[in-house]
Amino acid sequence: MQKKRATTGKKTRARKPARAPRKREVRDFTIRVCVGTGGLAAGSNEVIATFCKELEKKGIEIPVDRKCVDNTGCRGFCAKDVLVDIIQGDSLFTYQFVTPKMVPRIVEEHIINGRPVEEWLVGPDYHAFHSKQTKVLLEQCGQIDPEDIDAYIRVRGYEGARKALSLTPFEVIEEVKASGLRGRGGAGFPTGLKWELCSLAKGSPKYIICNADEGDPGAFMDRSIIEGNPHAVIEGMIIGGYAIGANQGYVYIRAEYPLAVKRLRIAIEQARQRGFLGKGIFGSDFDFDINIKEGAGAFICGEETALIASIEGKRGMPRSKPPFPVNKGLWGKPTVINNVETLANLPFIIIKGASWFSSIGSEKSKGTKVFALTGKVKNTGLIEVPMGITLREIIYDIGGGMEKGRKLKAVQTGGPSGGCIPASHIDMPVDYESLAGIGSMMGSGGMVVMDDTTCMVDMAKFFLSFTQRESCGKCVPCRIGTKRMLEILQRITEGRGRSDDIELLIELGTDIRLSSLCGLGQTAPNPVLSTIRFFREEYEAHINKGICPARVCKALRQYVVDIEVCKMCGKCMRVCPSGAITWQKKQPASIDKTKCIKCGACYDACPFNAIL
């Protein structure tokens, strides 16, 4: 007799049939995500991971020779990160401000159903930002995977080095001289001439150094090139090493650029594995290899002799010249030092020819220049433009004009060693001679745009404080002179300026420029001297009238309410820490000067600029 199973009173649920595995579908498309420093800071790694997860969930595969997502370097328009390209056939769509939460919809609607999410696509400002640029060095930074040597080879990578090795060193140097390429790191010395001097110098071995110690505030040109296309720099060093007869190269790069260092190490190792570095590169009898030296972040090590001392294990301090490094450089041997941007141009010059390169730019400044466009302009980011383009085109056509409709006041070029160019010179061409003629310089490529809310005295103080802090202290004019200038500027911005301070600043600045040992001291007074030259009335207002026209210097603000501008919102009263402001609804605020501590809280809080 069959026994009945005892029941527990619980209902049993029938098991659901096993779900059939999702059918895998292979689709031919490309997802490209910016993984430069700006993109990573905005969350590109999380966006990439979400794309891969969503594609897996939807059962979508890509061809076996492709990755889930292509990583790229900086796309230039950093203010729009995270930037994502979806490429299907000949169609390319770019999304801006992408977050992981947006990814499922992009996958579902765009990749699967073929309907781009229109409201998330880049707008006209994105296209305007790129349309007037001439991309040479940055062309591949946002297109190829910087950690994949094959991606570089597919865009003619290392063809320039192969071609150079088929020529004589003399022929390579002559081609570079004919191109008109000038050093992109500062004064613009002709690259071919520097190579020629080093190739003729007595002494062996010879060295070539890539100066990637980019330390200007707000500058990220060299870093972005290495992050986005490190093989171009390696190839440029191979060409330069062959031309001057050097078998060893060094990249001096600051340790604060961890992503650039990482990708450079990967690229060097990949090049070694392919036989592009090491013994008998490209099957020739030329040996060449590259080592990396990480700097500790001293701005002075951007100066070539200080950089050499640092590689040698000494304190990074400049020495007198001559002898110049091309005759007596690293370990006393002939050495060429070029910056990242200079070296990255070389493969293009060798492949496309000197005449192609010299057809870009102005009469004496050939080729393109990469700038970090920052400040009070709408479209900030990394740009590459032909030499000779005007400031107006950069600021208004590429940069989109001034933020909040403010009025352009000045542009600082050349970083802390450059000068401030007033808005009245907005139509001047951007090249070496024009910038030098107005008291500024090209420098490595920093460009800071300032509007009418900028105090030029305060701006000069900011840049001088940087160079004074970064002075190595070896020579008295720079060590002591910049300190005295900074003290005078501090006094002026605090309302304690003296009648002879302006002339004293000019005298000190002129003497420091003439007597300092290296380029840091020789250019440190530039921001002060240029602002006095073009904005002297602001200095005089600070000293003689006790006011800051831009209302930036807190000690010189009047802290009174302009009742004609006041909107009677009461925000100023709510943030006042000393109870100095009284306000009633539908009444303008008033400030009791006996209680006011001049903290500036009310000024910062007022959205209508009603506090003077």
Side-chain angles (χ1 to χ4, degrees):
M1 184 177 176
Q2 190 175 1
K3 293 184 179 179
K4 293 182 178 180
R5 180 178 292 178
T7 59
T8 60
K10 294 182 178 179
K11 293 182 179 180
T12 58
R13 295 183 179 178
R15 290 185 179 179
K16 292 182 180 179
R19 179 179 295 176
R22 182 184 291 272
K23 183 179 179 180
R24 311 299 291 179
E25 181 182 0
V26 178
R27 288 188 176 227
D28 190 10
F29 63 90
T30 298
I31 303 173
R32 207 160 51 192
V33 179
C34 173
V35 287
T37 296
L40 288 172
S44 59
N45 277 343
E46 292 79 4
V47 169
I48 292 171
T50 309
F51 266 113
C52 294
K53 181 180 177 181
E54 283 298 311
L55 293 174
E56 175 70 21
K57 186 194 301 184
K58 298 294 184 181
I60 298 175
E61 291 183 348
I62 59 175
V64 293
D65 61 337
R66 298 251 297 279
K67 296 191 302 182
C68 169
V69 175
D70 286 348
N71 302 331
T72 73
C74 178
R75 304 287 300 279
F77 207 160
C78 309
K80 300 286 186 179
D81 277 326
V82 175
L83 288 163
V84 175
D85 287 341
I86 305 293
I87 307 169
Q88 291 176 305
D90 295 330
S91 300
L92 183 151
F93 296 87
T94 302
Y95 291 92
Q96 63 186 2
F97 305 122
V98 178
T99 65
K101 291 182 179 180
M102 297 163 63
V103 171
R105 184 179 171 191
I106 295 173
V107 171
E108 180 69 30
E109 296 187 19
H110 189 160
I111 295 177
I112 295 178
N113 296 317
R115 296 192 304 270
V117 186
E118 296 288 345
E119 63 263 36
W120 294 345
L121 294 173
V122 294
D125 58 339
Y126 180 85
H127 302 292
F129 179 81
H130 292 284
S131 63
K132 210 156 192 177
Q133 297 188 47
T134 301
K135 298 286 187 77
V136 177
L137 303 183
L138 299 184
E139 182 180 7
Q140 304 303 336
C141 278
Q143 308 295 321
I144 65 173
D145 186 341
E147 298 183 15
D148 182 2
I149 191 172
D150 290 320
Y152 182 62
I153 291 172
R154 284 194 291 270
V155 292
R156 304 186 70 183
Y158 290 105
E159 283 187 21
R162 289 182 187 275
K163 182 178 178 181
L165 266 62
S166 71
L167 306 173
T168 66
F170 173 79
E171 289 173 326
V172 174
I173 291 174
E174 287 301 303
E175 189 74 6
V176 175
K177 287 171 64 177
S179 73
L181 175 66
R182 298 171 64 173
R184 297 298 197 254
F189 191 83
T191 302
L193 177 58
K194 181 184 285 190
W195 287 12
E196 182 178 51
L197 293 172
C198 188
S199 68
L200 297 174
K202 296 179 180 180
S204 182
K206 295 180 180 179
Y207 300 97
I208 183 168
I209 297 174
C210 170
N211 183 354
D213 190 66
E214 180 182 53
D216 295 10
F220 47 94
M221 299 77 60
D222 293 349
R223 181 190 72 189
S224 297
I225 292 173
I226 292 178
E227 289 177 357
N229 197 6
H231 287 283
V233 181
I234 294 171
E235 186 175 6
M237 293 186 71
I238 294 171
I239 296 168
Y242 175 72
I244 68 170
N247 301 113
Q248 180 64 54
Y250 288 89
V251 178
Y252 188 89
I253 183 169
R254 50 181 48 217
E256 292 93 335
Y257 291 171
L259 183 62
V261 173
K262 172 194 169 186
R263 290 180 177 164
L264 189 61
R265 290 192 188 280
I266 292 172
I268 289 173
E269 186 55 36
Q270 289 176 341
R272 285 177 181 150
Q273 292 173 359
R274 296 296 179 92
F276 300 166
L277 290 175
K279 298 287 185 181
I281 65 174
F282 301 108
S284 71
D285 59 357
F286 176 58
D287 302 337
F288 187 77
D289 209 346
I290 296 173
N291 288 334
I292 296 175
K293 169 67 176 180
E294 294 185 48
F299 183 66
I300 188 61
C301 287
E303 196 279 335
E304 56 184 8
T305 59
L307 182 153
I308 287 171
S310 182
I311 293 178
E312 293 174 343
K314 303 171 186 175
R315 182 178 176 186
M317 299 179 76
R319 63 164 174 79
S320 299
K321 293 180 288 187
F324 293 96
V326 291
N327 294 305
K328 188 176 181 180
L330 188 62
W331 290 297
K333 304 298 182 181
T335 303
V336 156
I337 302 177
N338 294 128
N339 89 321
V340 169
E341 195 176 338
T342 308
L343 291 166
N345 269 300
L346 294 168
F348 299 99
I349 292 173
I350 299 299
I351 292 173
K352 298 185 177 183
S355 58
W356 163 81
F357 186 83
S358 61
S359 68
I360 306 170
S362 62
E363 181 181 356
K364 294 183 179 180
S365 299
K366 305 298 185 181
T368 62
K369 181 71 187 78
V370 180
F371 288 99
L373 183 62
T374 60
K376 300 297 182 68
V377 68
K378 289 179 181 177
N379 303 334
T380 58
L382 197 68
I383 66 172
E384 184 175 5
V385 293
M387 291 280 199
I389 191 173
T390 66
L391 285 172
R392 182 185 297 276
E393 291 173 288
I394 292 176
I395 296 169
Y396 288 96
D397 295 343
I398 297 174
M402 306 302 294
E403 282 185 334
K404 301 178 182 178
R406 306 292 310 197
K407 184 179 178 182
L408 172 68
K409 188 171 190 177
V411 182
Q412 169 86 2
T413 65
S417 300
C420 291
I421 303 169
S424 57
H425 288 73
I426 192 174
D427 291 309
M428 68 171 284
V430 179
D431 56 36
Y432 290 102
E433 285 70 32
S434 299
L435 292 175
I438 204 168
S440 188
M441 62 186 294
M442 185 75 70
S444 58
M447 184 175 288
V448 183
V449 180
M450 293 165 270
D451 64 14
D452 53 3
T453 64
T454 303
C455 171
M456 303 311 296
V457 184
D458 183 69
M459 183 58 66
K461 184 180 72 172
F462 167 78
F463 283 116
L464 187 64
S465 67
F466 177 83
T467 50
Q468 200 283 320
R469 185 172 63 251
E470 293 292 338
S471 171
C472 74
K474 186 174 183 177
C475 71
V476 172
C478 180
R479 183 180 73 244
I480 304 299
T482 57
K483 181 68 174 175
R484 297 289 85 83
M485 289 185 73
L486 184 59
E487 289 172 350
I488 294 171
L489 291 173
Q490 186 72 34
R491 191 169 67 231
I492 292 173
T493 57
E494 291 176 353
R496 298 181 290 109
R498 302 169 186 170
S499 58
D500 62 342
D501 276 347
I502 298 176
E503 298 306 321
L504 184 56
L505 284 171
I506 295 173
E507 181 181 353
L508 279 169
T510 303
D511 289 346
I512 293 167
R513 291 173 67 172
L514 292 173
S515 56
S516 290
L517 177 63
C518 78
L520 186 149
Q522 292 163 9
T523 58
N526 283 351
V528 181
L529 296 179
S530 64
T531 51
I532 291 176
R533 175 183 175 185
F534 295 113
F535 301 96
R536 188 182 182 111
E537 69 280 1
E538 287 201 27
Y539 283 82
E540 293 172 343
H542 281 69
I543 295 170
N544 301 328
K545 300 179 181 178
I547 61 171
C548 172
R551 298 184 292 178
V552 170
C553 301
K554 291 184 178 181
L556 298 179
R557 291 181 191 156
Q558 300 177 35
Y559 293 101
V560 295
V561 178
D562 185 340
I563 58 174
E564 294 183 0
V565 178
C566 179
K567 301 299 181 182
M568 299 172 280
C569 65
K571 289 184 178 180
C572 56
M573 184 199 71
R574 288 190 284 270
V575 300
C576 180
S578 62
I581 301 178
T582 56
W583 167 80
Q584 293 180 355
K585 287 184 178 181
K586 299 183 180 181
Q587 293 294 325
S590 63
I591 301 175
D592 185 345
K593 291 189 176 182
T594 61
K595 295 181 180 179
C596 178
I597 59 175
K598 293 191 174 183
C599 65
C602 59
Y603 179 87
D604 296 334
C606 180
F608 310 108
N609 296 320
I611 297 179
L612 307 178

